Amino acid sequence: MTAADPDKGVEKLEDVIVRSAEQVAGQVRAARDAISTVIFGQDRVVENTLVTILSGGHALLIGVPGLAKTKLVETLGVTLGLDAKRVQFTPDLMPSDILGAEVLDESGIGKRSFRFIPGPVFAQLLMADEINRASPRTQSALLQAMQEQHITVAGARHDLPKPFHVLATQNPLEQEGTYPLPEAQLDRFLMEIDVDYPDRDAERRILFETTGAGETLAKAAMNADAVVAAQRLVRRLPVGDSVVEAILSLVRSARPGPESGETGKLIAWGPGPRASQSLMLAVRARALLDGRLAPSIDDVLDLAEPVLKHRMALTFPARAEGRSISDVIRQLKSRIG
């Protein structure tokens, strides 16, 4: 074997990655185009949700009712070829209503045995609608499943399907009868995605497309195996040193301490290392979605707010001055960009 053989092997491996990236990018763009035939005026929301799924994470969708959050999850299930289910969270919802439970069966000969009946959490794409309306006990049961990718009922372990993603929604206007997610549980979500009102042109299109005799249906563009392959590819994409340093600088400056400078006086607590991990995966996924083989600093700046927003809190004086987390993140981004 000559000394040049290892280099040829590396070149072949790079060629394989390039071909895989081109193929996967085409599939993901086809899925995005299929979603756009059903969901109008929410391009950024659709993009960030796809980035979250390609990163292998979970997303928290924040928006008032009627902005197609439920429709988005249904459409994602169809276009990505995933088994999608929905749970409407209410104060009386129990953990067993989500996870499943064991029931006692009795055979014809009088023999009794327990049988596990899976709950709706056994899905590849689960919509947790109005997650803040359920009790902390029920919230923690779902969020444990999100983190561990399995559940335990009566001492028996039950693995969740792969891929497994939770898209949870919250109504920002609802205050009474809600149980806000604790900070440690919010950290389990890769992104917090704000769903805003559509612009005038998009709302005009919604009027014509959704009130006519026919209904536009989403079409499948991928399947579960293709989604898993895309998630593996995301982790193999190279990341330049400048992008890594931008991620580290941004996340570390979002914590109170010397690295944040004067801005640190506004921050009560900031993101942990999981935020850096989430941002690293998200910028790779966004690059793949755009058909690029490596992320850029612009990806870091664009994804900083949805990745960091729910992982930070401001001090009381900062809130009294009318400052917001979005303002602080923009101030931190200006140092990098």
Side-chain angles (χ1 to χ4, degrees):
M1 181 179 293
T2 64
D5 286 337
D7 294 335
K8 290 182 180 179
V10 171
E11 290 174 1
K12 290 179 181 178
L13 179 59
E14 291 175 351
D15 290 341
V16 170
I17 294 177
V18 169
R19 283 197 301 272
S20 299
E22 291 174 349
Q23 180 182 1
V24 170
Q27 292 176 332
V28 175
R29 284 197 297 271
R32 182 171 59 183
D33 293 341
I35 294 170
S36 66
T37 63
V38 180
I39 306 296
F40 316 121
Q42 300 290 358
D43 294 341
R44 179 54 65 91
V45 174
V46 171
E47 178 179 298
N48 285 348
T49 306
L50 284 173
V51 166
T52 301
I53 292 176
L54 290 175
S55 303
H58 313 283
L60 185 63
L61 303 173
I62 308 292
V64 299
L67 296 182
K69 298 186 295 295
T70 302
K71 188 71 172 178
L72 172 62
V73 179
E74 294 174 356
T75 305
L76 280 168
V78 174
T79 56
L80 299 181
L82 302 179
D83 174 30
K85 294 181 182 177
R86 176 177 176 267
V87 177
Q88 178 66 52
F89 279 60
T90 57
D92 60 346
L93 195 72
M94 299 297 292
S96 58
D97 296 328
I98 301 173
L99 305 181
E102 285 197 329
V103 297
L104 185 62
D105 277 348
E106 184 172 354
S107 65
I109 59 175
K111 185 178 180 180
R112 295 180 178 179
S113 61
F114 284 99
R115 176 171 58 91
F116 177 68
I117 300 179
V121 76
F122 286 87
Q124 294 170 324
L125 186 64
L126 177 67
M127 180 177 188
D129 211 355
E130 296 182 306
I131 189 173
N132 56 330
R133 292 188 63 202
S135 67
R137 181 183 178 187
T138 304
Q139 290 177 4
S140 62
L142 174 63
L143 293 162
Q144 181 185 14
M146 291 165 53
Q147 181 67 20
E148 306 296 336
Q149 303 287 307
H150 68 263
I151 65 170
T152 303
V153 177
R157 169 173 168 158
H158 302 276
D159 292 326
L160 297 175
K162 294 185 182 298
F164 173 68
H165 302 282
V166 173
L167 299 181
T169 70
Q170 277 191 192
N171 180 357
L173 303 179
E174 195 172 26
Q175 299 295 333
E176 294 185 8
T178 61
Y179 304 87
L181 292 173
E183 291 78 10
Q185 295 181 353
L186 281 173
D187 197 31
R188 299 297 191 269
F189 290 97
L190 188 137
M191 280 195 202
E192 178 184 306
I193 303 172
D194 292 328
V195 185
D196 295 323
Y197 295 106
D199 59 31
R200 188 180 187 90
D201 291 338
E203 192 160 359
R204 180 191 300 275
R205 186 182 176 191
I206 291 171
L207 291 179
F208 285 105
E209 295 283 351
T210 61
T211 61
E215 181 183 2
T216 303
L217 300 177
K219 297 180 180 179
M222 298 179 71
N223 56 37
D225 292 337
V227 172
V228 172
Q231 292 171 349
R232 291 188 185 131
L233 180 61
V234 164
R235 292 178 173 268
R236 298 176 67 185
L237 292 183
V239 182
D241 290 340
S242 60
V243 174
V244 174
E245 291 302 318
I247 292 172
L248 288 172
S249 298
L250 184 61
V251 174
R252 293 181 65 83
S253 65
R255 305 166 184 163
E259 292 190 45
S260 56
E262 288 298 315
T263 310
K265 298 177 181 179
L266 306 173
I267 303 171
W269 53 268
R274 188 179 281 119
S276 304
Q277 296 170 328
S278 299
L279 195 51
M280 187 80 157
L281 288 171
V283 296
R284 285 168 162 166
R286 188 171 189 261
L288 183 64
L289 185 61
D290 289 343
R292 292 178 280 116
L293 296 178
S296 66
I297 293 179
D298 288 337
D299 294 320
V300 177
L301 299 176
D302 288 341
L303 293 173
E305 185 169 336
V307 171
L308 298 179
K309 191 174 182 181
H310 58 295
R311 294 181 164 103
M312 299 173 60
L314 301 184
T315 61
F316 179 77
R319 286 182 280 125
E321 293 175 7
R323 302 298 295 270
S324 68
I325 293 177
S326 297
D327 295 335
V328 172
I329 293 176
R330 278 193 292 270
Q331 191 172 339
L332 296 174
K333 289 193 319 186
S334 64
R335 301 180 181 180
I336 298 173

